[in-house]
Amino acid sequence: MLDITHVRSVLSDVYDLAPSATLANEMQDIYARMDRVISPPDWAIYAPYVRAINALKKERNAVILGHNYMTPEIFHGVSDFGGDSLQLAMKASDVKEDVIVQAGVHFMAETSKILSPQKTVLMPDMDAGCSLAESITAEGVEEMRAKYPGAPVVSYVNTTAEVKAASDICCTSSNAVQIVNAMDSDTVIMTPDQYLAQNVANESHKNVVYWPGSCIVHEQYTAKDLRDFREWNPGTQLIAHPECTPDVVAEADFSGSTSGIIKYVHDKKPERAMLITECSMASNIADELPEVEFVGPCNMCPYMKKITLEKILYVLHTMEGQVEVDEDVAAKARKSVQAMIDLSRKLGL
Ligand code: 13P
Ligand code: SF4
């Protein structure tokens, strides 16, 4: 586990990280991307970190890939590229820089390393896991193959490199239906998210069988929550991630991946919207959509929230937190991830 006292002592020897209203004022252009959701005193705290990280990125020839669930000061302050799992994986396969800092969870950093083995991939906190990735091992995939002989295995990118290596192809929430439909078999095995699999089954013509994993953030929402919310706040558009249960998805006005949700809100511009997903999603798009009021409860992903500006600065400074994947495992996993990327490009996704 990262020793935060050590992190602070290393950083304070080198950088001036004291809150600064003057610096915050000088960095108004960056602040403008998040000033509806970050208060000026908080920006004065973040600004010295943002300045130090952005300068160090140039020195190290590094790029920061930020998932849509990062907090706004990371997503808008230091990320060079933001997006959903599929967009980040595609970006990781063609970045020019020598170093990739993954502002996201561990399976995303592994995916970047699998696709760019010659690059240094840094993970700001190795403990930023994922309940889905932790729910299955390569043995679990073999168990499913034994139960459904001949059926192809489509594994969500929210899996370890070993599980990807044991699968035939990967998918993300933005291409899962199309990938499953493209399989040359009536029965398709999906791992590890039971709810994504059930939601895909509802939209596909395949017999989808699945592993019983789940996301601890999305499984908390119930259809009753959504009905109660509608009653309390009529007219609000309810927009759910497909890691939610099928009941929740059925109750929602739209369901899509994190980038699908962003696109939907941009296109529809509802007066009020509730995003049935991780908290930071709404914060990250609030400034670009001032006409939309984001309302209602949201759940935080404790893994995503392990990533902070302080830890990003620390790994860029020390070059600690390098992600390694065994070469044989990486070669097999690359086939599954690349098959997904190639098929997604072919399908124009
Ligand atoms: P997306 O692929 O929609 O970005 O989802 C990733 C994730 O971890 C959602 O919980
Ligand atoms: Fe994993 Fe869920 Fe967190 Fe996404 S939100 S990283 S699926 S635990």
Side-chain angles (χ1 to χ4, degrees):
M1 203 198 273
L2 205 55
D3 177 354
I4 208 69
T5 312
H6 172 71
V7 167
R8 283 185 187 155
S9 116
V10 169
L11 294 181
S12 62
D13 281 348
V14 186
Y15 303 96
D16 178 4
L17 296 169
S20 167
T22 313
L23 186 62
N25 209 31
E26 283 166 22
M27 294 168 67
Q28 281 295 324
D29 52 333
I30 300 180
Y31 182 49
R33 300 173 204 155
M34 57 188 122
D35 61 2
R36 284 185 80 201
V37 288
I38 302 272
S39 71
D42 282 332
W43 178 236
I45 294 171
Y46 297 138
Y49 289 88
V50 171
R51 179 183 59 175
I53 291 168
N54 286 337
L56 199 49
K57 260 188 331 196
K58 290 200 186 106
E59 244 178 73
R60 298 271 191 253
N61 193 23
V63 67
I64 299 183
L65 303 184
H67 186 263
N68 288 326
Y69 291 164
M70 289 294 100
T71 45
E73 71 281 6
I74 295 176
F75 193 79
H76 292 298
V78 299
S79 297
D80 299 284
F81 186 83
D84 70 3
S85 301
L86 178 63
Q87 292 169 324
L88 295 186
M90 284 176 157
K91 193 71 195 167
S93 64
D94 69 8
V95 292
K96 304 283 173 290
E97 288 79 0
D98 301 320
V99 178
I100 297 173
V101 180
Q102 198 80 36
V105 292
H106 192 266
F107 75 80
M108 295 177 178
E110 265 193 352
T111 307
S112 292
K113 185 68 185 175
I114 289 164
L115 291 169
S116 286
Q118 72 291 358
K119 312 262 177 196
T120 301
V121 178
L122 301 177
M123 190 60 208
D125 189 331
M126 290 289 185
D127 292 333
C130 167
S131 65
L132 282 168
E134 285 154 23
S135 74
I136 186 166
T137 60
E139 288 72 43
V141 174
E142 294 320 322
E143 247 176 67
M144 294 297 281
R145 283 197 197 276
K147 223 162 143 188
Y148 303 99
V153 176
V154 178
S155 284
Y156 200 24
V157 283
N158 298 39
T159 45
T160 60
E162 287 77 12
V163 168
K164 289 182 174 78
S167 306
D168 296 298
I169 189 166
C170 287
C171 73
T172 70
S173 52
S174 64
N175 59 20
V177 174
Q178 292 86 344
I179 299 263
V180 165
N181 279 342
M183 293 298 103
D184 187 17
S185 165
D186 287 340
T187 298
V188 177
I189 299 167
M190 281 193 82
T191 82
D193 188 347
Q194 59 184 309
Y195 300 126
L196 177 70
Q198 289 166 33
N199 287 320
V200 167
N202 287 342
E203 284 188 53
S204 115
H205 49 271
K206 302 285 184 183
N207 171 34
V208 180
V209 292
Y210 49 83
W211 185 259
S214 57
C215 162
I216 54 165
V217 177
H218 292 94
E219 72 179 353
Q220 290 179 48
Y221 295 104
T222 67
K224 183 175 180 305
D225 291 341
L226 271 69
R227 285 193 293 273
D228 288 350
F229 195 84
R230 255 192 228 287
E231 211 179 301
W232 173 60
N233 214 332
T236 301
Q237 285 267 307
L238 304 182
I239 306 163
H241 195 279
E243 287 170 14
C244 294
T245 66
D247 285 359
V248 167
V249 168
E251 199 63 50
D253 297 295
F254 174 78
S255 167
S257 71
T258 54
S259 61
I261 291 174
I262 294 172
K263 184 173 179 322
Y264 181 85
V265 182
H266 266 274
D267 291 350
K268 297 275 173 194
K269 294 204 177 41
E271 215 173 292
R272 274 191 311 280
M274 177 181 168
L275 307 190
I276 319 294
T277 187
E278 213 274 347
C279 269
S280 291
M281 274 281 301
S283 312
N284 286 334
I285 53 176
D287 271 76
E288 59 204 41
L289 288 162
E291 60 275 65
V292 181
E293 186 193 354
F294 292 97
V295 290
C298 63
N299 291 332
M300 272 198 208
C301 172
Y303 304 105
M304 290 278 182
K305 264 49 221 185
K306 283 189 181 290
I307 308 303
T308 61
L309 286 175
E310 191 174 48
K311 293 177 190 173
I312 292 174
L313 179 59
Y314 179 76
V315 292
L316 262 177
H317 176 73
T318 59
M319 298 300 282
E320 286 176 18
Q322 298 195 11
V323 174
E324 300 297 346
V325 182
D326 174 85
E327 268 180 40
D328 287 345
V329 173
K332 288 185 191 140
R334 192 171 306 120
K335 279 194 190 146
S336 300
V337 180
Q338 198 58 52
M340 167 189 79
I341 292 177
D342 293 345
L343 189 52
S344 297
R345 287 202 171 118
K346 195 171 140 200
L347 297 170
L349 302 172

